[in-house]
């Protein structure tokens, strides 16, 4: 542009740029103005317009002038970029639809490292926050910090990091010393960032204000500023300075770190800083040195002697363990007690609960069932902590029904009772007639009994009647040869015979039976039948006379004879002949006809 700065602008030609004939005049004032503003020589501008307005121009010529035309348009305004946005978007969309691998391969070298760096940074920050939070979560101050977190609306981890922070470099600025422009700016995460360019300008202005107001030497400058909890440290170099925004109380070693960073930046980028014209791309290389200044330090947890605390916690743990052991043991015993109650007949558990260190149980209990208090002792439960409430009821289970039968009927020992699941009472054995008759009346009043079966129950009196009959029929009285005199010792049998006969008659009378006792006389084969038959009849009559003399009614006896030819044993010996000289008995028992 300097080539035209001293030349007067010629007057515009009357012809100028004509839209009809497409002519272009070099002395056109508008054309010269365009060339001055766009920094393009008039000859090139004329050539560009001629080519663009020529319909016969070749695509090859346009491709040669297109980069220059784009630069020309870009310097005028941002309209070209705004128009090309949609075109580029459509081109990318078409490329993805056609083959997404092309775009993926192009972005792979950039996305991979960026993703890994982001994940690594996030994990590092998360672990740091977690470590700080866990370290102070059980400290006495943690309760105070939790209240502060609720009051301020911040998270507990954020409050922990804030209260345990010694210092943290939140932002770092690299500022061009001569122009005061920002070259690079780095910031830690979770920090609210203002406009870095504005901050850099303000720092430069403050630096200049201090130098002008207090007449300090040019080599000296502002080293630090403090605003509440935030402090700004500044380290100057020959051509640039580093400003660190710090929260907390940093040590002096941080200044050495800042000084080392500005020195390395000057060493590596000294020429770029000296030739700085407003472009900051070249200063991306300073980021590693600036990142080294973003340091943070937290308070280390003080090592304290927790002997008493651990002893106290150990005592609490032992107490809790002991209490838990006894509680679990009592609970197991309580469960065992409930299981036994539920397994026993005649006990129905309705409700159980535990409150105030005691166990409460309620239900129904048959009076004949086992006493639940005995089970408490068997399970080793403390009876004082078990509160029971049982309502009486009648269980229809067979074992309780049988107990109620025995309690009501009072059966003799010779009687067996059995109640089946259908409520049928089976009675077997021997019992007095009176008890049997009474049992047949009372069984209907026993709950749970539906039938009374006594077919296998024998009356004792009938059994005794049979025994008496057998005993009488076993009695034999022996006589001497040819006479009605009893042999020696036979007369002693008569009292027992009399007792057996009386008992038999009494039982028969009680049972309503009719008893006939036959007294049968026998002789041996010695002598004639004519002589032996009267002899055997006389022997039977003699025993009958004795019984009558003892008060027994004669109508219940019958004296009979047996022929001597019908001996019971062959008379081969004297003993067999003696046996045939006897009197035997036959008892006939019949029901009395109504």
């Amino acid at each position: 542009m300097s080539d035209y700065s001293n030349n007067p602008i010629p007057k515009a030609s009357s012809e100028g740029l004509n839209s009809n004939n497409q002519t272009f005049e070099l002395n056109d004032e508008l054309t010269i103005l365009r060339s001055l503003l766009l920094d393009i020589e008039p000859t090139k501008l004329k050539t560009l317009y001629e080519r663009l307005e020529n319909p016969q121009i070749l695509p090859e010529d346009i491709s040669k002038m297109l980069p220059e035309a784009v630069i020309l348009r870009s310097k005028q305004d941002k309209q070209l970029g705004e128009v090309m946005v949609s075109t580029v978007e459509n081109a990318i969309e078409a490329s993805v639809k056609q083959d997404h691998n092309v775009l993926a391969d192009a972005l792979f070298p950039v996305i991979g490292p960026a993703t890994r760096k982001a994940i690594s940074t996030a994990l590092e920050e998360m672990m740091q926050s977690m470590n700080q939070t866990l370290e102070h979560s059980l400290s006495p101050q943690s309760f105070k910090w939790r209240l502060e977190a609720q009051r301020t609306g911040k998270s507990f981890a954020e409050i922990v990091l804030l209260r345990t922070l010694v210092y943290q470099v939140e932002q770092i600025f690299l500022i061009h010393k001569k122009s005061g422009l920002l070259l690079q700016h780095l910031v830690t995460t979770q920090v609210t960032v203002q406009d870095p360019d504005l901050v850099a300008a303000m720092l430069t202005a403050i630096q200049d204000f201090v130098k002008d107001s207090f007449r300090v030497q040019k080599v000296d400058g502002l080293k630090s500023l403090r605003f509440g909890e935030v402090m700004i440290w500044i380290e100057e170099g020959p051509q640039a300075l580093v400003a660190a925004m710090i929260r907390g109380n940093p040590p002096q070693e941080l200044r050495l770190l800042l000084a080392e960073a500005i020195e390395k930046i000057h060493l590596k980028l000294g020429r770029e800083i000296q030739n700085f014209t407003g472009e900051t791309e070249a200063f991306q290389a300073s980021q590693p040195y600036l990142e080294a200044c973003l340091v943070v330090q937290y308070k280390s947890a003080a090592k304290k002697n927790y002997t008493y605390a651990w002893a106290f916690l150990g005592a609490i743990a032992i107490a809790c363990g002991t209490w838990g052991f006894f509680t679990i043991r009592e609970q197991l015993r309580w469960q065992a007690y409930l299981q036994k109650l539920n397994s026993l007949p005649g006990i129905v558990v309705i409700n159980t609960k535990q409150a105030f260190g005691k166990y409460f149980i309620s239900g129904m209990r048959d009076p004949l069932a086992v006493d639940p208090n005995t089970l408490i002792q068997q399970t080793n439960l403390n009876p004082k902590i078990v509160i029971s409430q049982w309502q009486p009821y009648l269980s229809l289970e067979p074992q309780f029904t049988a107990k109620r039968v025995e309690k009501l009927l009072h059966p003799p020992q010779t009687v067996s009772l059995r109640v089946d699941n259908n409520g049928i009472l089976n009675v077997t054995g021997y019992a007095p007639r009176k008890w049997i008759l009474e049992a047949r009346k009372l069984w209907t009043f026993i709950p749970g009994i539906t039938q009374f079966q006594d077919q296998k129950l024998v009356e004792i009196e009938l059994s005794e009647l049979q025994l008496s009959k057998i005993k009488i029929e076993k009695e034999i009285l022996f006589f001497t040869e040819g006479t009605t005199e009893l042999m020696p010792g036979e007369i002693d049998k008569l009292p027992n015979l009399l007792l057996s006969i009386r008992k038999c008659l009494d039982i028969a009378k009680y049972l309503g039976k009719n008893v006939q006792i036959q007294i049968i006389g026998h002789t041996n084969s010695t002598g004639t039948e004519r002589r032996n038959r009267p002899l055997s009849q006389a022997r039977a009559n003699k025993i009958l006379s004795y019984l009558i003399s003892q008060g027994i009614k004669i109508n219940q006896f019958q004296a009979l004879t047996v022929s001597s030819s019908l001996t019971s044993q062959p008379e081969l010996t004297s003993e067999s002949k003696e046996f045939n000289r006897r009197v035997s008995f036959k008892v006939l028992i019949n029901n009395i006809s109504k």
Side-chain angles (χ1 to χ4, degrees):
M1 292 179 65
S2 61
D3 297 336
Y4 306 98
S5 59
N6 298 322
N7 296 331
I9 300 175
K11 294 182 180 179
S13 174
S14 60
E15 299 295 329
L17 181 61
N18 195 306
S19 61
N20 294 328
N21 54 16
Q22 303 294 325
T23 59
F24 190 88
E25 297 295 339
L26 288 175
N27 58 352
D28 189 349
E29 295 180 355
L30 181 59
T31 303
I32 295 174
L33 181 60
R34 287 175 177 171
S35 66
L36 292 175
L37 293 175
L38 300 178
D39 196 14
I40 299 178
E41 296 180 2
T43 55
K44 293 183 179 181
L45 186 63
K46 175 179 177 297
T47 303
L48 177 62
Y49 274 100
E50 287 177 353
R51 291 184 178 182
L52 291 176
E53 294 176 357
N54 186 4
Q56 302 298 328
I57 193 169
L58 297 175
E60 183 178 357
D61 297 331
I62 296 177
S63 65
K64 293 180 180 179
M65 298 299 297
L66 185 59
E68 190 173 354
V70 172
I71 295 173
L72 175 64
R73 183 62 181 175
S74 299
K75 290 185 177 181
Q76 293 181 3
D77 52 34
K78 297 182 180 180
Q79 187 175 359
L80 180 62
E82 295 175 355
V83 172
M84 292 182 65
V85 168
S86 60
T87 304
V88 174
E89 289 178 350
N90 294 332
I92 292 175
E93 183 179 1
S95 176
V96 171
K97 290 182 179 179
Q98 183 176 359
D99 187 3
H100 66 276
N101 292 322
V102 175
L103 187 60
D105 294 339
L107 295 177
F108 175 77
V110 178
I111 292 180
T115 304
R116 288 193 294 271
K117 183 177 181 181
I119 293 175
S120 176
T121 303
L123 288 176
E124 183 179 357
E125 294 173 356
M126 182 187 69
M127 292 302 296
Q128 183 181 19
S129 176
M130 184 180 297
N131 290 337
Q132 291 291 329
T133 302
L134 292 177
E135 183 178 356
H136 296 277
S137 60
L138 297 178
S139 63
Q141 292 181 339
S142 64
F143 300 102
K144 179 181 179 181
W145 291 344
R146 291 182 189 278
L147 293 176
E148 182 179 354
Q150 293 179 356
R151 186 177 64 254
T152 59
K154 298 180 180 180
S155 65
F156 175 67
E158 186 176 357
I159 296 296
V160 170
L161 291 177
L162 183 62
R163 297 308 177 201
T164 59
L165 183 68
V166 176
Y167 75 95
Q168 180 182 20
V169 180
E170 296 183 345
Q171 301 184 55
I172 191 76
F173 299 86
L174 178 62
I175 303 173
H176 190 253
K177 195 172 181 180
K178 183 177 181 181
S179 64
L181 297 179
L182 182 66
L183 302 179
Q184 280 296 311
H185 172 246
L186 296 181
V187 62
T188 59
T189 57
Q190 298 180 352
V191 174
T192 304
V193 181
Q194 303 296 333
D195 187 357
D197 293 313
L198 180 59
V199 174
M202 292 178 62
L203 287 175
T204 303
I206 293 173
Q207 285 266 43
D208 296 339
F209 172 77
V210 171
K211 290 179 180 180
D212 295 339
S213 299
F214 299 98
R215 298 179 182 179
V216 297
Q217 298 180 4
K218 292 185 178 181
V219 295
D220 297 330
L222 188 64
K223 293 295 183 179
S224 64
L225 293 172
R226 178 179 289 276
F227 303 95
E229 296 181 353
V230 178
M231 178 183 297
I232 299 177
W233 278 9
I234 301 172
E235 284 295 327
E236 296 187 11
Q239 299 170 354
L241 60 88
V242 172
M245 185 175 291
I246 309 166
R247 186 179 298 275
N249 298 314
Q252 289 300 320
E253 289 79 2
L254 181 59
R255 285 198 177 273
L256 299 177
L257 187 62
L258 296 176
E260 183 179 354
I262 193 64
E263 291 173 358
K264 291 181 179 179
I265 291 173
H266 276 79
L267 181 63
K268 185 175 182 64
L269 302 171
R271 181 175 299 178
E272 287 80 355
I273 298 174
Q274 185 176 4
N275 300 328
F276 175 67
T277 59
E279 300 294 333
T280 61
E281 288 80 0
F283 299 99
Q284 296 288 338
S286 65
Q287 288 189 3
Y289 308 114
L290 298 177
E291 288 178 353
C293 299
L294 294 175
V295 293
V296 61
Q297 181 180 349
Y298 294 96
K299 296 178 182 178
S300 59
K303 296 183 179 180
K304 299 180 179 180
N305 188 1
Y306 293 102
T307 304
Y308 295 105
W310 284 114
F312 178 70
L313 292 177
I316 293 178
I318 294 174
C320 292
T322 305
W323 175 81
F325 168 76
F326 286 106
T327 301
I328 294 174
R329 188 183 67 175
E330 288 296 324
Q331 189 66 28
L332 294 176
R333 290 177 177 178
W334 171 249
Q335 294 298 328
Y337 174 65
L338 293 181
Q339 290 179 0
K340 285 189 176 182
L341 285 180
N342 291 322
S343 64
L344 290 176
I347 295 178
V348 179
V349 178
I350 298 177
N351 187 26
T352 61
K353 66 178 181 179
Q354 182 179 1
F356 308 108
K358 293 186 178 182
Y359 299 100
F360 297 87
I361 184 170
S362 60
M364 298 186 298
R365 172 180 172 268
D366 191 290
L368 300 177
V370 177
D371 187 0
N373 292 328
T374 59
L375 298 178
I376 294 177
Q377 298 176 356
Q378 294 178 6
T379 54
N380 295 324
L381 269 175
N382 185 3
K384 295 181 179 180
I385 65 173
V386 179
I387 309 300
S388 304
Q389 186 176 5
W390 302 103
Q391 298 295 331
Y393 88 110
L394 294 179
S395 174
L396 299 182
E397 296 184 49
Q399 57 267 45
F400 294 108
T401 304
K403 289 182 179 180
R404 278 189 282 272
V405 168
E406 293 181 358
K407 187 175 182 180
L408 180 63
L409 299 183
H410 299 288
Q413 295 181 354
T414 56
V415 174
S416 298
L417 303 176
R418 186 179 64 84
V419 181
D420 61 16
N421 294 328
N422 296 323
I424 300 176
L425 175 60
N426 295 281
V427 186
T428 58
Y430 300 90
R433 179 180 179 84
K434 181 179 179 182
W435 183 89
I436 295 175
L437 296 176
E438 187 176 359
R440 290 173 180 173
K441 296 178 182 179
L442 296 178
W443 73 268
T444 55
F445 298 98
I446 303 174
I449 299 299
T450 58
Q451 294 183 20
F452 183 82
Q453 299 289 345
D454 62 348
Q455 290 82 357
K456 296 182 179 181
L457 180 63
V458 179
E459 297 178 0
I460 292 179
E461 291 83 357
L462 184 60
S463 176
E464 291 179 352
L465 181 62
Q466 294 295 329
L467 292 175
S468 298
K469 173 186 175 182
I470 295 172
K471 189 173 182 180
I472 292 172
E473 289 179 346
K474 285 184 178 181
E475 290 290 342
I476 298 175
L477 300 174
F478 296 102
F479 290 83
T480 59
E481 178 70 30
T483 66
T484 59
E485 298 295 329
L486 292 171
M487 292 183 65
E490 293 298 309
I491 195 171
D492 296 333
K493 297 180 179 179
L494 293 177
N496 293 331
L497 175 63
L498 180 61
L499 291 175
S500 299
I501 292 174
R502 285 180 173 176
K503 183 177 181 180
C504 180
L505 295 177
D506 292 340
I507 294 174
K509 182 179 179 181
Y510 176 77
L511 297 176
K513 303 287 186 181
N514 184 24
V515 177
Q516 290 291 326
I517 301 175
Q518 295 178 352
I519 304 173
I520 304 170
H522 300 267
T523 60
N524 55 20
S525 58
T526 303
T528 62
E529 181 68 23
R530 182 177 180 182
R531 181 177 179 274
N532 289 335
R533 182 174 290 275
L535 180 58
S536 60
Q537 183 68 46
R539 289 174 177 172
N541 290 337
K542 184 174 182 179
I543 300 302
L544 178 60
S545 298
Y546 171 76
L547 295 175
I548 293 173
S549 65
Q550 298 298 321
I552 297 178
K553 295 180 180 180
I554 191 173
N555 57 354
Q556 294 176 323
F557 293 91
Q558 184 179 7
L560 300 178
T561 61
V562 177
S563 174
S564 58
S565 60
L566 300 175
T567 57
S568 59
Q569 292 184 6
E571 296 180 354
L572 301 177
T573 61
S574 59
E575 287 80 6
S576 60
K577 288 184 177 182
E578 181 180 342
F579 181 80
N580 288 332
R581 301 192 303 266
R582 70 188 187 279
V583 169
S584 62
F585 301 90
K586 180 70 174 178
V587 180
L588 302 176
I589 301 174
N590 299 312
N591 294 326
I592 299 177
S593 58
K594 296 182 180 180

